[in-house]
Each structure stands twice: as C-alpha cells, then as structure tokens.
Amino acid sequence: GFSFREENASEEPFASGTSPLVAVVTAAAELSSKSISELLRLRKDAHSLLSLEEMKRLWDKCMAFVSSLEEVTGYKASALRSTMLSQAKAFIERQHDSNMSAMVAALESERWAQCEVSTQRQAALTRLCTGRK
C-alpha cells in the first residue's frame, strides 16, 4: 500500500533528516486524530445512548480510520484508541444499567406466591446457593 513513512525516519516528526512531506503528513495525522478524539469525547453521553448496531458502526468506522492512519503515516493514534475504549466502556455501562433496571422492573411486577417445598429439595437448593456439597 501507499505510505508516507521513510524507512529510517525518526519517531519525532520534525527531527533532522526527516523530509518536510513526512513531517507535514505526520503532523496532519496527529492533528486529525486529536480532533476526532476530542469530538468523540464531547459526544460521550450521546454515544452511550446509541443502539448496539449504531455503536458497532461508530466503532468500526473509527477503528478503520485509525488503522488506515497508522498504516499510511506510521503515527500511532493511541489517544483516539483510548477515547474509543472509553466510549465503549460508557456504552456498556449504560447498557448494563438499563438491562438491570428492566430486570428489576420485570421481577417486581411478577406475582410471587409462597409454595410448599420438600425438605430434600430445600436442602438441594441451599447446597446449590451456598456452594456446599
């Protein structure tokens, strides 16, 4: 594929010996990564409310961008990767809270009635719940 990296380029984009084109492309890659990371950070709450399909699409697009950016420039977009992980964590936490609330509501709305249980069955259930044999 196409790459702006030089074989012996330094990690520092403006280090002596690095061509101006490589330095400009690397600086642009860093700026775009930081800009997208900041945009995602500002939309963290909105992104946590996305559906699973929408979150997956956002994740896939961002990771495709990160992979292309790193492949073409050699710049490691760790800030953007970190932001995406933070977004995914917030999404999962929000989903978990929502699922827990729905489960609690469902359990509370069910009608429970006490019933007779044999001593053997109660002992088996107690062993199961406590982990004893």
Side-chain angles (χ1 to χ4, degrees):
F2 186 74
S3 176
F4 282 101
R5 290 181 284 173
E6 291 181 350
E7 290 301 317
N8 296 321
S10 169
E11 291 295 319
E12 180 63 37
F14 298 105
S16 60
T18 302
S19 77
L21 177 60
V22 171
V24 167
V25 169
T26 303
E30 184 176 347
L31 178 62
S32 66
S33 174
K34 286 180 180 178
S35 296
I36 292 170
S37 182
E38 180 65 14
L39 177 65
L40 291 171
R41 188 189 65 74
L42 292 172
R43 294 192 43 81
K44 181 178 182 178
D45 290 338
H47 289 159
S48 70
L49 298 172
L50 295 174
S51 69
L52 178 59
E53 294 78 24
E54 292 168 328
M55 188 62 184
K56 183 177 181 331
R57 193 168 39 249
L58 176 65
W59 177 270
D60 290 344
K61 294 291 184 185
C62 287
M63 287 297 116
F65 173 76
V66 166
S67 295
S68 296
L69 184 72
E70 291 176 347
E71 182 181 329
V72 169
T73 65
Y75 170 76
K76 296 297 178 201
S78 55
L80 185 50
R81 286 182 182 274
S82 176
T83 300
M84 286 305 301
L85 289 173
S86 175
Q87 298 273 316
K89 182 180 180 208
F91 173 79
I92 289 170
E93 287 173 352
R94 179 79 53 113
Q95 286 293 118
H96 175 72
D97 291 344
S98 175
N99 291 342
M100 288 296 291
S101 295
M103 184 180 70
V104 166
L107 289 173
E108 287 178 354
S109 69
E110 289 183 357
R111 297 184 72 185
W112 293 83
Q114 189 170 356
C115 64
E116 293 295 320
V117 177
S118 70
T119 307
Q120 293 168 327
R121 183 162 296 204
Q122 183 61 53
L125 289 170
T126 301
R127 284 192 310 273
L128 179 66
C129 291
T130 60
R132 295 185 201 148
K133 292 187 177 192

